[in-house]
Amino acid sequence: ILIFSLGIGIWTTILKIISSLSHNAGKFHFKELVINVLSLIVVLELIRAFVDYFEHERIRMEVLLEVLLAFVIREFMIHV
């Protein structure tokens, strides 16, 4: 169920990226595009953390720090 929901999150983020590129061809929203790409990176890093946990039954700190860094940058972009 967890992997399925993360897959849905990836799919919706990719659809948002495609729609922002095609729908607003004349009026390019760079901030929205960056936020959507960073959201995709956060979800992919979470998937990597879960795969690492299921394979080794532990999570490396560097993987968690990468997820945290991507999330903080995303939140910074949303609120600035």
Side-chain angles (χ1 to χ4, degrees), residues 45-62:
E45 290 294 329
L46 281 173
I47 289 174
R48 192 174 92 171
F50 286 123
V51 167
D52 190 39
Y53 175 74
F54 290 133
E55 285 181 359
H56 305 290
E57 296 183 3
R58 64 181 175 86
I59 297 177
R60 294 180 293 157
M61 284 302 292
E62 75 178 43

PDB file of all heavy atoms in Angstrom, residues 45-62:
ATOM      1  N   GLU A  45      13.197  10.203  -3.067  1.00  0.00           N
ATOM      2  CA  GLU A  45      14.120   9.949  -1.969  1.00  0.00           C
ATOM      3  C   GLU A  45      13.451   9.129  -0.871  1.00  0.00           C
ATOM      4  O   GLU A  45      14.091   8.280  -0.247  1.00  0.00           O
ATOM      5  CB  GLU A  45      14.658  11.264  -1.397  1.00  0.00           C
ATOM      6  CG  GLU A  45      15.605  11.996  -2.321  1.00  0.00           C
ATOM      7  CD  GLU A  45      16.894  11.241  -2.555  1.00  0.00           C
ATOM      8  OE1 GLU A  45      17.362  10.512  -1.674  1.00  0.00           O
ATOM      9  OE2 GLU A  45      17.453  11.391  -3.651  1.00  0.00           O
ATOM     10  N   LEU A  46      12.169   9.348  -0.634  1.00  0.00           N
ATOM     11  CA  LEU A  46      11.449   8.531   0.343  1.00  0.00           C
ATOM     12  C   LEU A  46      11.362   7.079  -0.118  1.00  0.00           C
ATOM     13  O   LEU A  46      11.527   6.156   0.685  1.00  0.00           O
ATOM     14  CB  LEU A  46      10.049   9.088   0.583  1.00  0.00           C
ATOM     15  CG  LEU A  46       9.959  10.291   1.503  1.00  0.00           C
ATOM     16  CD1 LEU A  46       8.541  10.832   1.519  1.00  0.00           C
ATOM     17  CD2 LEU A  46      10.407   9.919   2.904  1.00  0.00           C
ATOM     18  N   ILE A  47      11.112   6.882  -1.397  1.00  0.00           N
ATOM     19  CA  ILE A  47      11.079   5.519  -1.936  1.00  0.00           C
ATOM     20  C   ILE A  47      12.441   4.856  -1.759  1.00  0.00           C
ATOM     21  O   ILE A  47      12.530   3.689  -1.360  1.00  0.00           O
ATOM     22  CB  ILE A  47      10.642   5.522  -3.413  1.00  0.00           C
ATOM     23  CG1 ILE A  47       9.169   5.865  -3.514  1.00  0.00           C
ATOM     24  CG2 ILE A  47      10.914   4.176  -4.066  1.00  0.00           C
ATOM     25  CD1 ILE A  47       8.679   6.043  -4.929  1.00  0.00           C
ATOM     26  N   ARG A  48      13.501   5.605  -2.022  1.00  0.00           N
ATOM     27  CA  ARG A  48      14.846   5.059  -1.853  1.00  0.00           C
ATOM     28  C   ARG A  48      15.117   4.681  -0.392  1.00  0.00           C
ATOM     29  O   ARG A  48      15.725   3.644  -0.103  1.00  0.00           O
ATOM     30  CB  ARG A  48      15.886   6.060  -2.337  1.00  0.00           C
ATOM     31  CG  ARG A  48      17.264   5.451  -2.453  1.00  0.00           C
ATOM     32  CD  ARG A  48      18.210   6.417  -3.052  1.00  0.00           C
ATOM     33  NE  ARG A  48      18.829   7.146  -1.940  1.00  0.00           N
ATOM     34  CZ  ARG A  48      19.835   7.970  -2.078  1.00  0.00           C
ATOM     35  NH1 ARG A  48      20.303   8.235  -3.276  1.00  0.00           N
ATOM     36  NH2 ARG A  48      20.363   8.574  -1.052  1.00  0.00           N
ATOM     37  N   ALA A  49      14.610   5.498   0.533  1.00  0.00           N
ATOM     38  CA  ALA A  49      14.788   5.192   1.952  1.00  0.00           C
ATOM     39  C   ALA A  49      14.024   3.927   2.335  1.00  0.00           C
ATOM     40  O   ALA A  49      14.542   3.081   3.085  1.00  0.00           O
ATOM     41  CB  ALA A  49      14.326   6.369   2.804  1.00  0.00           C
ATOM     42  N   PHE A  50      12.805   3.761   1.821  1.00  0.00           N
ATOM     43  CA  PHE A  50      12.026   2.560   2.134  1.00  0.00           C
ATOM     44  C   PHE A  50      12.657   1.309   1.524  1.00  0.00           C
ATOM     45  O   PHE A  50      12.693   0.256   2.156  1.00  0.00           O
ATOM     46  CB  PHE A  50      10.584   2.702   1.672  1.00  0.00           C
ATOM     47  CG  PHE A  50       9.773   3.613   2.540  1.00  0.00           C
ATOM     48  CD1 PHE A  50       9.135   4.709   1.987  1.00  0.00           C
ATOM     49  CD2 PHE A  50       9.646   3.385   3.897  1.00  0.00           C
ATOM     50  CE1 PHE A  50       8.388   5.551   2.777  1.00  0.00           C
ATOM     51  CE2 PHE A  50       8.903   4.226   4.694  1.00  0.00           C
ATOM     52  CZ  PHE A  50       8.270   5.320   4.138  1.00  0.00           C
ATOM     53  N   VAL A  51      13.162   1.427   0.318  1.00  0.00           N
ATOM     54  CA  VAL A  51      13.819   0.275  -0.314  1.00  0.00           C
ATOM     55  C   VAL A  51      15.067  -0.108   0.471  1.00  0.00           C
ATOM     56  O   VAL A  51      15.324  -1.292   0.703  1.00  0.00           O
ATOM     57  CB  VAL A  51      14.153   0.583  -1.789  1.00  0.00           C
ATOM     58  CG1 VAL A  51      15.103  -0.436  -2.375  1.00  0.00           C
ATOM     59  CG2 VAL A  51      12.878   0.660  -2.616  1.00  0.00           C
ATOM     60  N   ASP A  52      15.822   0.887   0.891  1.00  0.00           N
ATOM     61  CA  ASP A  52      17.015   0.618   1.687  1.00  0.00           C
ATOM     62  C   ASP A  52      16.647  -0.053   3.006  1.00  0.00           C
ATOM     63  O   ASP A  52      17.323  -0.973   3.454  1.00  0.00           O
ATOM     64  CB  ASP A  52      17.765   1.930   1.945  1.00  0.00           C
ATOM     65  CG  ASP A  52      19.129   1.710   2.548  1.00  0.00           C
ATOM     66  OD1 ASP A  52      19.808   0.752   2.133  1.00  0.00           O
ATOM     67  OD2 ASP A  52      19.513   2.501   3.434  1.00  0.00           O
ATOM     68  N   TYR A  53      15.560   0.390   3.609  1.00  0.00           N
ATOM     69  CA  TYR A  53      15.128  -0.219   4.863  1.00  0.00           C
ATOM     70  C   TYR A  53      14.692  -1.671   4.657  1.00  0.00           C
ATOM     71  O   TYR A  53      15.026  -2.549   5.452  1.00  0.00           O
ATOM     72  CB  TYR A  53      13.987   0.577   5.487  1.00  0.00           C
ATOM     73  CG  TYR A  53      13.434  -0.075   6.724  1.00  0.00           C
ATOM     74  CD1 TYR A  53      14.155  -0.041   7.914  1.00  0.00           C
ATOM     75  CD2 TYR A  53      12.218  -0.743   6.701  1.00  0.00           C
ATOM     76  CE1 TYR A  53      13.671  -0.660   9.060  1.00  0.00           C
ATOM     77  CE2 TYR A  53      11.723  -1.361   7.829  1.00  0.00           C
ATOM     78  CZ  TYR A  53      12.449  -1.313   9.007  1.00  0.00           C
ATOM     79  OH  TYR A  53      11.965  -1.932  10.126  1.00  0.00           O
ATOM     80  N   PHE A  54      13.934  -1.931   3.603  1.00  0.00           N
ATOM     81  CA  PHE A  54      13.452  -3.289   3.364  1.00  0.00           C
ATOM     82  C   PHE A  54      14.590  -4.238   2.978  1.00  0.00           C
ATOM     83  O   PHE A  54      14.529  -5.426   3.289  1.00  0.00           O
ATOM     84  CB  PHE A  54      12.365  -3.308   2.305  1.00  0.00           C
ATOM     85  CG  PHE A  54      11.073  -2.680   2.760  1.00  0.00           C
ATOM     86  CD1 PHE A  54      10.411  -1.771   1.952  1.00  0.00           C
ATOM     87  CD2 PHE A  54      10.530  -2.990   3.988  1.00  0.00           C
ATOM     88  CE1 PHE A  54       9.227  -1.196   2.371  1.00  0.00           C
ATOM     89  CE2 PHE A  54       9.353  -2.416   4.425  1.00  0.00           C
ATOM     90  CZ  PHE A  54       8.694  -1.510   3.608  1.00  0.00           C
ATOM     91  N   GLU A  55      15.621  -3.741   2.324  1.00  0.00           N
ATOM     92  CA  GLU A  55      16.749  -4.592   1.939  1.00  0.00           C
ATOM     93  C   GLU A  55      17.692  -4.869   3.108  1.00  0.00           C
ATOM     94  O   GLU A  55      18.134  -6.002   3.297  1.00  0.00           O
ATOM     95  CB  GLU A  55      17.544  -3.950   0.807  1.00  0.00           C
ATOM     96  CG  GLU A  55      16.873  -4.024  -0.531  1.00  0.00           C
ATOM     97  CD  GLU A  55      17.708  -3.383  -1.632  1.00  0.00           C
ATOM     98  OE1 GLU A  55      18.814  -2.869  -1.336  1.00  0.00           O
ATOM     99  OE2 GLU A  55      17.247  -3.388  -2.777  1.00  0.00           O
ATOM    100  N   HIS A  56      18.013  -3.842   3.883  1.00  0.00           N
ATOM    101  CA  HIS A  56      19.046  -3.971   4.907  1.00  0.00           C
ATOM    102  C   HIS A  56      18.501  -3.896   6.334  1.00  0.00           C
ATOM    103  O   HIS A  56      19.277  -4.016   7.284  1.00  0.00           O
ATOM    104  CB  HIS A  56      20.111  -2.888   4.726  1.00  0.00           C
ATOM    105  CG  HIS A  56      20.713  -2.873   3.362  1.00  0.00           C
ATOM    106  ND1 HIS A  56      21.553  -3.869   2.915  1.00  0.00           N
ATOM    107  CD2 HIS A  56      20.581  -1.997   2.336  1.00  0.00           C
ATOM    108  CE1 HIS A  56      21.920  -3.600   1.669  1.00  0.00           C
ATOM    109  NE2 HIS A  56      21.346  -2.471   1.295  1.00  0.00           N
ATOM    110  N   GLU A  57      17.218  -3.648   6.483  1.00  0.00           N
ATOM    111  CA  GLU A  57      16.561  -3.474   7.775  1.00  0.00           C
ATOM    112  C   GLU A  57      17.205  -2.369   8.601  1.00  0.00           C
ATOM    113  O   GLU A  57      17.283  -2.443   9.824  1.00  0.00           O
ATOM    114  CB  GLU A  57      16.510  -4.797   8.539  1.00  0.00           C
ATOM    115  CG  GLU A  57      15.677  -5.840   7.861  1.00  0.00           C
ATOM    116  CD  GLU A  57      15.574  -7.113   8.672  1.00  0.00           C
ATOM    117  OE1 GLU A  57      16.100  -7.162   9.798  1.00  0.00           O
ATOM    118  OE2 GLU A  57      14.956  -8.054   8.160  1.00  0.00           O
ATOM    119  N   ARG A  58      17.668  -1.354   7.911  1.00  0.00           N
ATOM    120  CA  ARG A  58      18.193  -0.148   8.555  1.00  0.00           C
ATOM    121  C   ARG A  58      18.110   0.982   7.539  1.00  0.00           C
ATOM    122  O   ARG A  58      18.007   0.759   6.335  1.00  0.00           O
ATOM    123  CB  ARG A  58      19.632  -0.327   9.013  1.00  0.00           C
ATOM    124  CG  ARG A  58      20.601  -0.550   7.881  1.00  0.00           C
ATOM    125  CD  ARG A  58      22.019  -0.738   8.386  1.00  0.00           C
ATOM    126  NE  ARG A  58      22.903  -1.062   7.291  1.00  0.00           N
ATOM    127  CZ  ARG A  58      23.490  -0.149   6.517  1.00  0.00           C
ATOM    128  NH1 ARG A  58      23.313   1.126   6.744  1.00  0.00           N
ATOM    129  NH2 ARG A  58      24.282  -0.523   5.529  1.00  0.00           N
ATOM    130  N   ILE A  59      18.151   2.197   8.032  1.00  0.00           N
ATOM    131  CA  ILE A  59      18.129   3.365   7.159  1.00  0.00           C
ATOM    132  C   ILE A  59      19.399   4.153   7.421  1.00  0.00           C
ATOM    133  O   ILE A  59      19.722   4.480   8.570  1.00  0.00           O
ATOM    134  CB  ILE A  59      16.892   4.248   7.422  1.00  0.00           C
ATOM    135  CG1 ILE A  59      15.619   3.471   7.100  1.00  0.00           C
ATOM    136  CG2 ILE A  59      16.953   5.518   6.593  1.00  0.00           C
ATOM    137  CD1 ILE A  59      14.354   4.232   7.386  1.00  0.00           C
ATOM    138  N   ARG A  60      20.123   4.457   6.358  1.00  0.00           N
ATOM    139  CA  ARG A  60      21.347   5.248   6.500  1.00  0.00           C
ATOM    140  C   ARG A  60      20.995   6.712   6.745  1.00  0.00           C
ATOM    141  O   ARG A  60      20.024   7.232   6.210  1.00  0.00           O
ATOM    142  CB  ARG A  60      22.201   5.119   5.246  1.00  0.00           C
ATOM    143  CG  ARG A  60      22.729   3.714   5.044  1.00  0.00           C
ATOM    144  CD  ARG A  60      23.568   3.622   3.817  1.00  0.00           C
ATOM    145  NE  ARG A  60      22.691   3.834   2.666  1.00  0.00           N
ATOM    146  CZ  ARG A  60      23.108   4.257   1.475  1.00  0.00           C
ATOM    147  NH1 ARG A  60      24.370   4.514   1.282  1.00  0.00           N
ATOM    148  NH2 ARG A  60      22.263   4.409   0.497  1.00  0.00           N
ATOM    149  N   MET A  61      21.783   7.371   7.548  1.00  0.00           N
ATOM    150  CA  MET A  61      21.531   8.769   7.885  1.00  0.00           C
ATOM    151  C   MET A  61      21.662   9.680   6.669  1.00  0.00           C
ATOM    152  O   MET A  61      20.954  10.666   6.557  1.00  0.00           O
ATOM    153  CB  MET A  61      22.498   9.230   8.983  1.00  0.00           C
ATOM    154  CG  MET A  61      22.125   8.722  10.348  1.00  0.00           C
ATOM    155  SD  MET A  61      20.469   9.221  10.850  1.00  0.00           S
ATOM    156  CE  MET A  61      20.665  10.968  11.034  1.00  0.00           C
ATOM    157  N   GLU A  62      22.543   9.332   5.731  1.00  0.00           N
ATOM    158  CA  GLU A  62      22.713  10.206   4.566  1.00  0.00           C
ATOM    159  C   GLU A  62      21.456  10.217   3.702  1.00  0.00           C
ATOM    160  O   GLU A  62      21.117  11.247   3.118  1.00  0.00           O
ATOM    161  CB  GLU A  62      23.928   9.813   3.745  1.00  0.00           C
ATOM    162  CG  GLU A  62      23.763   8.561   2.911  1.00  0.00           C
ATOM    163  CD  GLU A  62      24.983   8.257   2.075  1.00  0.00           C
ATOM    164  OE1 GLU A  62      26.102   8.382   2.588  1.00  0.00           O
ATOM    165  OE2 GLU A  62      24.799   7.876   0.920  1.00  0.00           O
TER     166      GLU A  62
END
